[in-house]
Amino acid sequence: MLKLSNSWLSSLSDCLHIPAALVRRRGAVSTGRRALSRRRSQRAVGTDASALIELLEPRVVLSAAPTQWLQRGISGGGVFSQPSLSPHNPNELYVGTDMSQMFHSKDAGQSWDFYNADEFVVSNHVNGVQFTSDPQVLFALDQLNISMPTPLRSTDGGASWDRPGSASFASNWPTGERAWRIFADPGSLGRLIVATQDEIYLSTDAGTTFTSAYAYSGTVNASQKLGLHVGGAFFDGSTIYVGTNAGLLVSTNGGMFQAAAVGGIPAGDGIFAFAGASDGTTTRLWAVTHSVSKISTPSLPSGNYFGYQNIYSLTVGDPSWTVSSTGLPAAIQLTQITMAGNDIDTVYTGGRETTGGILSMYVGKYSSTTGNWSQAFTLQGAGSNVTTGFVGSGGHIPGSVTIEGLSVAPNDSSRVIVTDGWVAHTSVDGGAQWQQ
């Protein structure tokens, strides 16, 4: 309690608008007499020389400001994109941001490290870290020069990175070519492709040298972001499948890419996102298509929703793509497709949907048993299967409605990661449950 004089207390009461009911005569409060003191507290301040005010809530005064901050997660400052999961270590993952950092974790996101700007700079224009059959050899794209992204290679598991012309890497990479997409074969050490605004370059010697394997014949205009868009690649033995805005391209035995003679996708539509898998007997490809006129190079997932047209599957050997949209919401806009390279029956797609005039994130999972899509990521309400952390228990900050990245482990379809404008969520059980 605070002991105050009557005159001082009256001034305080007038200044702070403390009601008289909170003022008690000296000696009114004592253990065992709270009922009596409560009645006495209704009286106005008397003419005693002093009075008492009872503090209604305890207060803890910090002796000093905090001296240390502890990391409890990662934040992009913008959006998270380019997620990738290691085929060698189930706890290793990479997540990039549009604020230049590439985050890396080896304990399933319990702790993180990131690279200095002079080592590795990324943005959400490019795709993520690529794994090979050797856990020490990785590939990625670097935007140290924001307008001139180039390939990167690591030969020590990501501890350091080589740029073109250093350590016998990319010795003949063409000066002035902007590398917007990179894809490595997770089942071999040597093969990878790099796509620019107008060409696809192929390496069969782990990036030591590159050769041009495809020249885009469409309109190329860097200032208008017109050119070749590669939505994904699948390495199937000696064959490489690539989905582009110019259609499906195929390379065999390290040769040039040729347009595949398959139909089913209407003229005017192109492949925006692409994935494939093989079980050793059957090879199945999937594609999310957008209007070609809406596909820019480079393309940002969050900036291309309005070009969405449809989703297709193709069993290699069939003459045409088949629309495979059963079970998807009516008002859906998709930008992502992913699958493990060894599982032809499990596919994930991502985008956004509109329900009741409200936009929300959407992650769908395809079942080959039913031939239907079902929602695999429910943030709030009945059926919620997402555990969040600092963005709020049970859901997201309102407005986080765009998926920026969706990826699955190259050899394990139960391990999935989805990123958006705020955070990253992972699942280790095929999307049954998600954890921030």
Side-chain angles (χ1 to χ4, degrees):
M1 292 187 181
L2 301 178
K3 186 174 182 178
L4 306 171
S5 69
N6 251 5
S7 59
W8 194 93
L9 189 136
S10 293
S11 299
L12 179 65
S13 177
D14 291 340
C15 232
L16 301 181
H17 308 289
I18 300 174
L22 298 183
V23 181
R24 309 196 178 171
R25 293 180 181 275
R26 188 175 67 175
V29 178
S30 63
T31 304
R33 299 181 60 195
R34 294 194 180 274
L36 176 60
S37 67
R38 190 174 296 112
R39 290 193 296 273
R40 289 179 177 175
S41 70
Q42 306 304 315
R43 304 174 186 172
V45 177
T47 57
D48 289 355
S50 61
L52 299 175
I53 293 180
E54 182 178 8
L55 299 180
L56 300 182
E57 295 181 11
R59 291 289 187 265
V60 177
V61 180
L62 295 176
S63 60
T67 59
Q68 183 179 7
W69 291 93
L70 299 178
Q71 180 177 304
R72 295 304 187 197
I74 56 174
S75 181
V79 302
F80 282 121
S81 56
Q82 315 111 297
S84 52
L85 302 173
S86 170
H88 308 291
N89 178 354
N91 294 317
E92 184 174 19
L93 62 152
Y94 287 86
V95 177
T97 80
D98 66 345
M99 302 302 289
S100 80
Q101 306 103 320
M102 175 61 78
F103 291 102
H104 178 219
S105 176
K106 286 189 174 182
D107 54 12
Q110 295 303 303
S111 63
W112 297 85
D113 55 66
F114 61 91
Y115 298 94
N116 293 327
D118 60 350
E119 296 178 289
F120 194 165
V121 177
V122 299
S123 84
N124 57 339
H125 289 82
V126 299
N127 60 321
V129 171
Q130 301 291 300
F131 294 90
T132 69
S133 59
D134 184 343
Q136 298 301 307
V137 180
L138 309 171
F139 294 95
L141 293 180
D142 173 51
Q143 284 192 273
L144 180 63
N145 180 341
I146 189 66
S147 63
M148 193 62 62
T150 57
L152 285 178
R153 180 181 66 183
S154 174
T155 57
D156 53 14
S160 63
W161 295 86
D162 301 320
R163 292 190 169 96
S166 63
S168 301
F169 172 60
S171 58
N172 66 338
W173 180 255
T175 302
E177 280 282 32
R178 303 176 182 184
W180 292 120
R181 293 288 185 271
I182 187 167
F183 300 95
D185 183 357
S188 77
L189 176 60
R191 295 193 306 166
L192 71 148
I193 63 169
V194 178
T196 67
Q197 199 127 15
D198 57 0
E199 290 191 67
I200 296 177
Y201 290 89
L202 172 67
S203 175
T204 58
D205 54 12
T208 300
T209 59
F210 287 87
T211 58
S212 177
Y214 175 77
Y216 179 63
S217 60
T219 302
V220 177
N221 187 312
S223 63
Q224 297 180 20
K225 294 187 175 182
L226 297 177
L228 173 67
H229 169 76
V230 173
F234 174 57
F235 296 82
D236 185 19
S238 61
T239 303
I240 308 173
Y241 300 94
V242 176
T244 77
N245 56 341
L248 177 64
L249 306 178
V250 183
S251 169
T252 58
N253 297 313
M256 296 288 290
F257 282 93
Q258 305 292 332
V262 292
I265 295 178
D269 293 351
I271 296 175
F272 184 81
F274 175 83
S278 176
D279 62 4
T281 301
T282 301
T283 297
R284 189 158 294 143
L285 310 176
W286 283 81
V288 169
T289 62
H290 284 209
S291 171
V292 170
S293 64
K294 300 291 185 180
I295 299 176
S296 60
T297 303
S299 288
L300 301 177
S302 58
N304 284 274
Y305 282 100
F306 298 105
Y308 172 69
Q309 295 297 308
N310 223 321
I311 187 168
Y312 296 85
S313 63
L314 172 71
T315 299
V316 173
D318 288 352
S320 62
W321 293 90
T322 301
V323 174
S324 300
S325 59
T326 304
L328 290 172
I332 191 74
Q333 295 170 313
L334 299 175
T335 59
Q336 309 280 339
I337 193 86
T338 187
M339 58 197 306
N342 59 354
D343 185 350
I344 65 173
D345 296 316
T346 305
V347 192
Y348 300 90
T349 190
R352 67 184 186 183
E353 64 169 316
T354 304
T355 303
I358 299 174
L359 282 173
S360 60
M361 294 170 55
Y362 179 84
V363 177
K365 182 178 182 180
Y366 179 82
S367 167
S368 62
T369 302
T370 63
N372 291 346
W373 291 94
S374 60
Q375 184 160 316
F377 189 89
T378 304
L379 276 171
Q380 303 180 69
S384 174
N385 63 346
V386 182
T387 300
T388 63
F390 72 90
V391 295
S393 176
H396 263 189
I397 297 172
S400 181
V401 297
T402 61
I403 287 181
E404 298 290 340
L406 180 65
S407 184
V408 65
N411 57 352
D412 185 355
S413 60
S414 66
R415 294 171 48 223
V416 198
I417 182 170
V418 59
T419 62
D420 57 45
W422 300 99
V423 293
H425 287 92
T426 58
S427 175
V428 296
D429 54 13
Q433 296 293 323
W434 299 82
Q435 174 71 49
Q436 180 184 322

